[in-house]
Amino acid sequence: AVVSTQSGHYGRELLVVVDNLVADRRDLANKTSSFAASCMHLGEGEDNASLRRAITKLSELETKMESVHIEQSDNDLFTFGETIKDYISIIQSAKAAFDERVKIFSTWESAQSTLAKKREAKNKATAQGKAERVAQCEEDIKFWEGKVEKCQEDFELISKNLKDEIRIFEEVWVREVKEAISSYFQKTIDNQRKIVGHWKEFLPEAKIIN
């Protein structure tokens, strides 16, 4: 089946992990900002020119790192986290629709059973020559025939809607999820490359300290 309660459960667990990851990255960004400020103050008081320049460049590096951490936390939250939230919402809606379909089917079966009993009661009353009872049974049969017809219409309608939703899920939403996840991975890789690039820019400064 396309929709399962397990999928929704694992999705909620993953969402908790993503929320924690976002919080950790933002905390890292804040700490990185504090470290950058401390390095700047430290560099201002350093007498050794090459060391002062290296510490100042380190402060600039950490400021760039802060921006990368913020970008990645936004990527975690808005690209990946929101996709998981949408997925959970769809799973919950589909489950509710399936539950409603089962409920309607049960009501339909119950109405059919009641209708059969009313028809049986009419046949019995007819055989016994109870005209008044037969008339009452005919009224009951008319009511329950309408009930059965309505339940059948409701069941067929919700079945059609579910089929359409599943088709949309498979043809549209699954593709959108793949695109969102691919975008998330690419942005994450890009941010990691930025981090490596920033350190490469800083490395020559560290090598000329004397």
Side-chain angles (χ1 to χ4, degrees), residues 68 97 102 173 202:
V68 175
V102 170
W173 203 83
F202 171 75

Side-chain angles (χ1 to χ4, degrees), residues 35-46 48-64 202 205 209:
F35 181 57
S38 296
C39 287
M40 180 61 70
H41 294 318
L42 180 63
E44 290 172 352
E46 177 57 49
N48 184 297
S50 60
L51 181 56
R52 181 172 61 251
R53 176 178 171 80
I55 294 175
T56 300
K57 288 297 182 180
L58 177 60
S59 175
E60 294 173 1
L61 163 67
E62 293 300 327
T63 298
K64 292 177 182 178
F202 171 75
E205 299 294 338
I209 299 173

Side-chain angles (χ1 to χ4, degrees), residues 88-101:
I88 293 172
S89 178
I90 289 174
I91 293 297
Q92 290 175 335
S93 297
K95 182 180 182 301
F98 272 110
D99 290 344
E100 182 63 19
R101 182 173 180 268

Side-chain angles (χ1 to χ4, degrees), residues 118-198:
K118 295 299 181 183
R119 285 172 173 167
E120 184 180 337
K122 179 192 172 184
N123 292 337
K124 184 177 180 181
T126 300
Q128 294 175 346
K130 297 180 179 180
E132 188 175 329
R133 176 61 177 158
V134 169
Q136 180 61 52
C137 287
E138 287 177 344
E139 288 184 15
D140 291 343
I141 288 170
K142 184 177 180 180
F143 171 82
W144 283 102
E145 283 178 340
K147 184 78 171 177
V148 167
E149 184 178 350
K150 180 65 167 58
C151 288
Q152 182 176 357
E153 290 174 355
D154 290 345
F155 181 77
E156 289 175 350
L157 178 61
I158 196 170
S159 296
K160 178 182 179 302
N161 290 341
L162 268 172
K163 184 177 180 180
D164 291 342
E165 289 298 325
I166 290 173
R167 178 182 56 78
I168 293 172
F169 179 90
E170 292 176 336
E171 295 179 1
V172 179
W173 203 83
V174 169
R175 183 183 70 249
E176 291 179 355
V177 169
K178 289 180 179 178
E179 290 174 354
I181 297 302
S182 177
S183 175
Y184 171 75
F185 287 154
Q186 186 58 55
K187 288 179 182 177
T188 300
I189 292 171
D190 290 343
N191 284 332
Q192 292 302 313
R193 285 173 176 165
K194 287 180 183 178
I195 291 174
V196 173
H198 293 328

